[in-house]
């Protein structure tokens, strides 16, 4: 109770299975007394492209545009675009970040990748020599919750898609761990479009159940062994 | 000579190191007698978001929007948006796809991820039971050419970023291999922003040299062993 949660949600359709998972998380966490904020990226028409528009006013070097340098400098002088400042404020205030999305091509959808690219700028999320366990977002938790098209068998060792943990490395280790954010076990719903209505209901119930004891969970050990053992 | 190459390029600044790598590829491949097409995603203001706008006319199911189903149906009846049809035509005609970009967060920038999400739709790039070696883009080659922020040491086994091959899995196996496209060795320029001008020139020369014998290269064996051995 009293915990603050930011859910970054990337699905176009409220009636989708992802939409149901979002609804469950908002309801269950609110019931627990958490303060829940949702960034509904498609509804916000969130901009995924990292461009000059993210910097208000003059560039640090207008001769050759370097997105990393420009957003770092803009962050320091308070010159990032309004939509980024708003997202950063939500991140800053959150104890837990939940990412809810359908897996697209072994990865998050572009609109969510754009949120990572644009919101987690140097100076805000990490800095020179402040990365991984020293990242600037220390003290926060994260959880990747997603649906797949392929089955659990396909995403297993020996399956054609390989161990699902392989696709978690860039997201969990490369982004969250890099920023100092601890990572909870991912929540994966395999192929909800290809199972029975009963099975889908079971998956929704499992998510509700997990959320009930979420705050007692220990983060994973986000080392190469967890992913590639 | 006579080969067709599509370069999908994701950098905002022509004067950047990525811009130089693009220029080299266009010049060298053209000199070889190849026909080279460039999709300069930022210059095109390419849309990365997968939305209802990608479907022209009526939806298959307007009650609940399902992007995968709708683009598949739209592809079959010729109802995809013009920008997607143009990119698919370029892909169809190409013998080799080169992706040139800076690594952002252990992955491609959102604008390029959006190209993958929106262009490689079911029916065009893969289909029911037509995936991996049976994918619909068989007969084509691909090559991921990118720059990193971190050093080669960081992206090695035992390095904090892990083996660079870990980040190649979702892109090479999860996307290209899934569509039946063979994968050439990636071309990686480590931390060009942090090395001497001389070293940068060496990296550019190495790219030119590689391109000279590119058509004699054998694709990698895109199996889990290549990535996680």
């Amino acid at each position: 109770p009293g915990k603050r949660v930011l859910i970054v949600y990337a699905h176009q359709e409220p009636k989708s299975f992802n939409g149901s998972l979002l609804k469950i998380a908002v309801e269950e966490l609110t019931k627990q007394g958490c303060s829940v904020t949702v960034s509904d990226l498609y509804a916000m028409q969130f901009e995924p492209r990292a461009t000059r528009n993210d910097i208000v006013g003059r560039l640090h070097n207008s001769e050759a545009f370097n997105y990393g340098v420009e957003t770092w400098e803009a962050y320091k002088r308070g010159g990032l675009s309004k939509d980024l400042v708003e997202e950063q404020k939500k991140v800053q205030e959150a104890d837990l970040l939940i990412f809810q999305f359908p897996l697209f091509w072994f990865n998050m959808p572009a609109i969510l990748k754009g949120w990572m690219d644009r919101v987690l700028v140097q100076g805000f999320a990490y800095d020179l020599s402040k990365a991984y366990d020293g990242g600037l977002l220390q003290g926060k938790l994260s959880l990747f919750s997603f649906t797949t098209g392929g089955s659990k068998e396909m995403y297993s060792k020996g399956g054609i898609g390989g161990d699902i943990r392989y696709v978690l490395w860039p997201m969990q280790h490369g982004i969250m761990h890099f920023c100092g954010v601890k990572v909870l076990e991912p929540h994966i719903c395999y192929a909800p479009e290809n199972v029975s209505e009963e099975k889908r209901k079971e998956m929704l119930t499992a998510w509700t159940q997990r959320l009930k004891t979420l705050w007692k969970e220990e983060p994973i050990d986000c080392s190469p062994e967890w992913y590639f053992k």
Side-chain angles (χ1 to χ4, degrees), chain A residues 142-168:
Chain A
S142 62
L143 192 167
F144 287 83
S145 173
F146 57 95
T147 58
T148 67
S151 66
K152 191 166 181 174
E153 291 64 42
M154 288 164 80
Y155 286 114
S156 63
K157 233 166 191 166
I160 186 79
D163 194 324
I164 192 72
R165 291 191 175 188
Y166 298 164
V167 311
L168 293 164

Side-chain angles (χ1 to χ4, degrees), chain A residues 13-44:
Chain A
E13 174 58 61
K15 290 179 207 158
S16 65
F17 195 78
N18 272 274
S20 300
L21 292 165
L22 170 69
K23 196 158 165 275
I24 284 171
V26 171
E27 287 176 359
E28 172 57 31
L29 293 167
T30 303
K31 207 161 75 183
Q32 291 176 16
C34 298
S35 154
V36 183
T37 304
V38 177
S39 284
D40 182 342
L41 300 183
Y42 287 103
M44 294 156 74

Side-chain angles (χ1 to χ4, degrees), chain A residues 85-99:
Chain A
V85 173
E86 281 174 15
E87 292 305 301
Q88 289 179 345
K89 190 157 173 284
K90 295 179 197 171
V91 171
Q92 199 70 73
E93 290 173 351
D95 298 299
L96 167 64
L97 311 172
I98 296 178
F99 301 99

